[in-house]
Amino acid sequence: MSDFYKQIIENNKKWVESKLALDPDFFKKLKDTQTPPLLWIGCSDSRVPANQIIGAQPGEVFVHRNIANMVVHSDMNMLSVLDYSVNVLKVKHVIVCGHYGCGGVKAAMGSSSVGIIDNWIRHIKDSYKFRKSDIEAIEDEQERFDRFVEWNTKQQVLNLAVTSIVQEAWSRGQELSVHGWVYGLDTGLVKDLDVTFSSHDDIRNSSIYKLDFE
């Protein structure tokens, strides 16, 4: 086995020891319940670890990650995670967290093929098409990239808010809010994009998506 592989096994043992030193029943208590208040939908990028970013403990965050933190209406993986989070775990918050320097977003802004991921980032290209003139009006290349990372995250928050799962939860009066953040790799800080949906009223400007469950 490689040294790296051996090291991560040892790291696990040390982590267990540190937890048990603080609370001998830590794992016994953890195995019997899962009531996280938050679902995190983030990018698969290894530099964006959900729990560590917000200082959350095991059991506090339910996590779904994919390339470029996408919420695609036909993605059964994401929808299954969302359905379980909302209808079984009863999370109260869902955060879609993008990050500056996202390779998936960068690839979607260009025309070079990057393999099978081309098919996935087509969804981002579709978003880019609708804001092409606004984005390309930004002269500074880095600023243009950063702004599209933010806009892509906002789009995914809207995509999440108009899912049948979220709307049905609102229709039965369940407390549920969806938010958009972007994480700075160079600072470690998150930026709240001030885009939150907590009810049907919040998507009134996108009424074509509103579903009637009565």
Side-chain angles (χ1 to χ4, degrees):
M1 291 186 289
S2 71
D3 290 341
F4 171 76
Y5 187 79
K6 292 177 187 177
Q7 186 60 56
I8 61 176
I9 295 293
E10 288 304 311
N11 290 348
N12 170 252
K13 293 177 182 177
K14 292 177 182 177
W15 176 72
V16 170
E17 290 171 359
S18 68
K19 289 298 182 183
L20 293 178
L22 294 173
D23 181 358
D25 295 323
F26 178 82
F27 293 103
K28 291 179 182 178
K29 291 185 288 189
L30 190 64
K31 76 177 180 63
D32 291 329
T33 183
Q34 181 177 209
T35 55
L38 168 66
L39 166 63
W40 175 283
I41 299 178
C43 184
S44 298
D45 194 297
S46 62
R47 300 166 294 177
V48 192
N51 283 58
Q52 289 94 321
I53 286 173
I54 58 175
Q57 296 300 311
E60 293 182 337
V61 186
F62 206 62
V63 178
H64 175 77
R65 298 171 72 175
N66 60 47
I67 299 297
N69 46 272
M70 298 297 289
V71 176
V72 179
H73 74 278
S74 57
D75 179 4
M76 292 305 296
N77 188 346
M78 183 279 299
L79 291 173
S80 297
V81 171
L82 179 62
D83 183 72
Y84 188 78
S85 300
V86 172
N87 294 319
V88 178
L89 299 178
K90 305 296 183 183
V91 300
K92 290 182 169 57
H93 298 275
V94 184
I95 291 173
V96 179
C97 186
H99 68 94
Y100 297 116
C102 180
V105 172
K106 184 70 170 179
M109 296 175 72
S111 57
S112 298
S113 174
V114 289
I116 196 170
I117 194 178
D118 293 338
N119 300 283
W120 181 253
I121 63 175
R122 266 289 307 278
H123 300 290
I124 311 176
K125 286 181 177 290
D126 289 342
S127 296
Y128 187 87
K129 178 179 64 176
F130 292 115
R131 291 297 293 269
K132 188 174 186 291
S133 58
D134 293 333
I135 296 298
E136 294 186 355
I138 301 172
E139 294 184 4
D140 182 78
E141 184 176 355
Q142 186 61 51
E143 177 71 10
R144 189 186 314 135
F145 184 17
D146 289 348
R147 295 292 78 75
F148 188 57
V149 165
E150 294 177 359
W151 194 84
N152 178 62
T153 302
K154 291 179 180 179
Q155 180 63 50
Q156 304 320 308
V157 176
L158 174 60
N159 291 351
L160 184 65
V162 300
T163 61
S164 60
I165 296 166
V166 170
Q167 291 196 54
E168 188 171 11
W170 287 338
S171 291
R172 61 175 177 264
Q174 185 171 334
E175 181 183 349
L176 181 65
S177 297
V178 298
H179 318 269
W181 289 4
V182 174
Y183 175 71
L185 296 175
D186 59 342
T187 65
L189 297 173
V190 296
K191 178 180 180 179
D192 186 341
L193 296 177
D194 196 26
V195 52
T196 293
F197 297 95
S198 301
S199 70
H200 288 295
D201 290 341
D202 292 334
I203 59 171
R204 58 186 177 275
N205 292 328
S206 303
S207 59
I208 189 173
Y209 296 109
K210 186 178 183 301
L211 301 174
D212 186 358
F213 291 95
E214 296 179 358

